[in-house]
Amino acid sequence: MPRPQPPSPSPTVPAGATPRRAPKRKAGNGVLWARGGLALLGGYTVAAAWAAALARLLPGSLADAALVATMASFVIYTLAAIWAYAARSIARAAVGLALVACVGMALSTLLAGSVA
């Protein structure tokens, strides 16, 4: 005669099965703070680099190009901050933001000679 099973601790766990334990957090809130800092500082760096590059790339008067580039930098900053939280790891987010910022700075430096 089989032994009677004790009642299940929760309705989602079948009778006789052991409940799964939640995985332990390894870094806690440190990862969240690191991504926040990366979103804040890295996003600003990316936005500033691309605003400078766009100001030199856009046609029209210098004032109009700078204004449009500054407005576009708000969108770039938002996308960079989203990337800082969406990347699989902090290292991947940092490398991605650094790469995009370097491309923007290089483009801005290369175009610096063509603006009077």
Side-chain angles (χ1 to χ4, degrees):
M1 187 161 165
R3 257 181 159 173
Q5 296 290 331
S8 177
S10 72
T12 59
V13 178
T18 57
R20 292 176 133 185
R21 293 183 184 213
K24 292 183 180 180
R25 283 196 218 168
K26 294 181 181 177
N29 290 334
V31 174
L32 186 64
W33 281 100
R35 286 184 187 265
L38 187 62
L40 186 70
L41 298 175
Y44 180 80
T45 304
V46 168
W50 278 97
L54 285 175
R56 291 183 170 101
L57 275 174
L58 293 172
S61 69
L62 294 177
D64 289 340
L67 181 64
V68 171
T70 303
M71 289 188 293
S73 73
F74 288 106
V75 175
I76 294 168
Y77 184 84
T78 303
L79 293 174
I82 289 171
W83 169 251
Y85 284 101
R88 289 184 188 176
S89 66
I90 297 172
R92 184 174 285 196
V95 168
L97 289 176
L99 189 71
V100 172
C102 285
V103 169
M105 284 188 274
L107 190 60
S108 174
T109 304
L110 289 174
L111 295 172
S114 64
V115 176

